[in-house]
């Protein structure tokens, strides 16, 4: 018996064997992670390796991150990272892999690939709001403001007198010489 255990240890320490730091995830947890990923087509996890559980799945957050890292390395998932959160998106290869892993029929697709049902009526119109013809003519102070003096253009008031006092370097650019003398205290020294 000792001979076998030694050869097992030697096989683990061999360079061609899997690294000892590989994470073992229980099959039940891996299935929960994969089923959530397949259902939504995307998965988000905060970069917190010590979190006791993921925000959506009853699995340790570290197991979610490592399972997704494995799928990224196989090309089944694309990963983005922003503001301390990982974002994973299923690829077409990933959909096929998870469908096979979870033993799902071909008709089942992630929510990201499902078409949203279209609402009847005008696109972009708020629901429950009647069309313009049904509502009647416009009334109210807003409309009277718009129609009051609609044809005439009004300029600035009579007391309007804009004055430019100059900014940095008198408005001629820093160190530039436009031929005119800069006001005292501004621009280049005389």
């Amino acid at each position: 018996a000792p001979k076998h255990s030694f050869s097992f240890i030697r096989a683990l320490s061999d360079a061609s064997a899997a690294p000892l730091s590989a994470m073992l995830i229980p099959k039940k947890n891996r299935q929960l992670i994969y089923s959530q990923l397949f259902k939504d087509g995307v998965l988000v996890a905060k970069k917190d390796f010590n979190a006791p559980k993921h925000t959506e799945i009853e699995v340790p957050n570290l197991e979610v991150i490592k399972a997704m890292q494995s799928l990224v390395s196989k090309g089944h998932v694309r990963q983005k990272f922003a503001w301390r959160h990982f974002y994973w998106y299923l690829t077409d290869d990933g959909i096929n892999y998870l469908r096979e892993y979870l033993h799902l029929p071909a008709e089942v697709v992630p929510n990201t690939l499902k078409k949203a049902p279209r609402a009847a009526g005008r696109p972009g119109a708020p629901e429950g709001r009647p069309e313009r013809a049904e509502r009647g003519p416009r009334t109210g102070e807003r409309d009277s403001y718009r129609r009051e003096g609609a044809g005439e253009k009004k300029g600035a008031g009579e007391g309007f007198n804009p004055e430019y006092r100059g900014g940095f370097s008198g408005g001629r650019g820093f160190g530039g010489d436009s031929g005119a003398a800069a006001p005292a205290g501004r621009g280049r020294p005389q």
Side-chain angles (χ1 to χ4, degrees):
K3 185 177 178 183
H4 293 292
S5 63
F6 178 73
S7 64
F8 177 71
I9 292 172
R10 196 170 83 215
L12 284 178
S13 65
D14 187 19
S16 64
L20 292 174
S21 64
M23 178 148 195
L24 299 175
I25 301 173
K27 187 174 184 178
K28 182 184 108 186
N29 289 357
R30 188 176 298 271
Q31 285 181 336
L32 285 171
I33 295 166
Y34 286 179
S35 62
Q36 181 70 28
L37 174 63
F38 188 85
K39 184 183 95 174
D40 293 337
V42 296
L43 194 62
V44 178
K46 186 174 183 180
K47 185 181 177 183
D48 183 5
F49 302 118
N50 299 320
K53 70 178 190 84
H54 187 261
T55 55
E56 298 175 11
I57 313 168
E58 295 296 322
V59 174
N61 202 40
L62 179 63
E63 290 182 3
V64 172
I65 293 171
K66 291 300 179 180
M68 293 295 103
Q69 185 179 8
S70 172
L71 290 176
V72 167
S73 69
K74 295 175 186 176
H76 299 313
V77 171
R78 287 184 299 123
Q79 175 179 304
K80 300 281 185 195
F81 183 79
W83 292 89
R84 297 184 62 185
H85 284 80
F86 290 103
Y87 298 89
W88 296 284
Y89 309 93
L90 265 177
T91 61
D92 292 338
D93 291 340
I95 292 171
N96 294 333
Y97 173 77
L98 289 182
R99 189 177 282 138
E100 196 174 300
Y101 184 88
L102 298 170
H103 309 294
L104 297 171
E107 297 81 42
V108 180
V109 294
N111 288 340
T112 53
L113 297 180
K114 292 181 181 174
K115 300 276 186 194
R118 292 196 126 183
R122 192 179 79 205
E127 292 184 28
R129 185 174 175 188
E131 293 294 326
R132 164 71 52 208
E134 298 172 22
R135 284 186 278 168
R138 286 186 171 180
T139 57
E141 62 184 63
R142 183 174 166 198
D143 292 325
S144 64
Y145 166 76
R146 285 184 177 169
R147 290 196 174 78
E148 193 174 290
E152 60 189 72
K153 298 256 184 189
K154 293 184 180 179
E158 294 207 13
F160 181 71
N161 186 16
E163 180 181 325
Y164 178 69
R165 297 180 181 203
F168 183 73
S169 185
R172 289 180 296 279
F174 185 69
D177 189 16
S178 64
R186 297 184 185 230
R188 289 187 323 178
Q190 301 283 324

